[in-house]
Amino acid sequence: TWVEDGLIYLSNSNEKCPFEIIQIGAIKLDSNFNIIDTFNSYVKPQLYKSIHPFVGKMTGIKSEDVVNAPTFPQVYRDFKRFLSTSKNTILCVWGTGDLKELFRNITYYDLPHKTLTKSYINVQLYASMYFNNPTGKSVGLQNAIQMLNINQDKSYHNALNDAYYTAQVFIRIYGPHIVPD
């Protein structure tokens, strides 16, 4: 089980979908880096019916929070709608694990993904370079927030809050050298 900015996963032993997303959070920025919209939804688990105590303690998410939540296909549809309101959408992620698991969950549920942007910026990679970390040594989100003296008024390991913190790091380190993959 693990948490990364924007997505929270449950894990067990399903080979096709070993990590099930139970929360998606996103922050939408305009070209001037103003927050113009947010997306936040719990996802009702279909594969792993209960929240592991470790995940519950780390995220604060309880089984009762997700039991009546929409399913992944419903949340994905809404998330795509949230993303599609902008031209030239670029996903900014803290590490590429979120994208991998998002696409794995999309594939598991056999959902359309051709219209979902494939353009992304790995903010963690650029933050690690910004802080002159040795190659292969990534900076953690909380450490980046502390080193940039960003106000830490939100809890970590919540998909929306981690997306907010990722956006704050991106805004502060952005330069012309940062380009989407």
Side-chain angles (χ1 to χ4, degrees):
T1 306
W2 94 90
V3 178
E4 289 190 31
D5 63 284
L7 304 172
I8 296 177
Y9 312 99
L10 292 180
S11 173
N12 205 336
S13 59
N14 186 308
E15 272 184 35
K16 291 182 181 177
C17 193
F19 299 100
E20 183 171 22
I21 295 171
I22 60 168
Q23 184 185 18
I24 297 177
I27 301 288
K28 188 181 291 185
L29 303 175
D30 65 14
S31 59
N32 294 315
F33 301 126
N34 297 305
I35 295 173
I36 57 171
D37 203 358
T38 62
F39 181 89
N40 187 31
S41 181
Y42 288 127
V43 179
K44 182 178 184 171
Q46 301 295 296
L47 299 170
Y48 314 113
K49 301 296 184 185
S50 63
I51 305 265
H52 189 279
F54 174 78
V55 173
K57 185 176 181 180
M58 184 178 9
T59 65
I61 297 174
K62 302 173 194 72
S63 292
E64 51 267 22
D65 295 327
V66 296
V67 70
N68 293 317
T71 63
F72 182 81
Q74 294 167 309
V75 174
Y76 174 66
R77 181 195 67 229
D78 294 342
F79 183 58
K80 276 183 59 176
R81 192 174 304 124
F82 169 80
L83 293 176
S84 71
T85 60
S86 300
K87 292 181 183 177
N88 304 320
T89 299
I90 301 168
L91 299 174
C92 292
V93 296
W94 195 264
T96 57
D98 282 349
L99 291 177
K100 177 182 176 183
E101 295 310 326
L102 177 63
F103 280 98
R104 193 184 325 231
N105 276 247
I106 291 167
T107 300
Y108 177 80
Y109 287 103
D110 196 26
L111 300 171
H113 60 81
K114 289 190 187 335
T115 59
L116 183 64
T117 183
K118 308 291 187 293
S119 186
Y120 71 93
I121 295 172
N122 179 353
V123 178
Q124 183 180 37
L125 173 68
Y126 287 103
S128 296
M129 292 187 309
Y130 179 86
F131 293 117
N132 295 312
N133 281 22
T135 303
K137 189 94 164 136
S138 297
V139 65
L141 181 58
Q142 190 168 0
N143 286 336
I145 293 297
Q146 290 170 347
M147 289 187 283
L148 291 169
N149 295 314
I150 297 171
N151 186 21
Q152 298 181 64
D153 59 347
K154 297 171 183 1
S155 63
Y156 288 91
H157 306 301
N158 168 288
L160 181 61
N161 294 350
D162 287 355
Y164 171 81
Y165 284 134
T166 299
Q168 294 304 307
V169 171
F170 178 72
I171 290 166
R172 284 164 179 82
I173 68 169
Y174 180 77
H177 68 288
I178 296 180
V179 294
D181 288 324

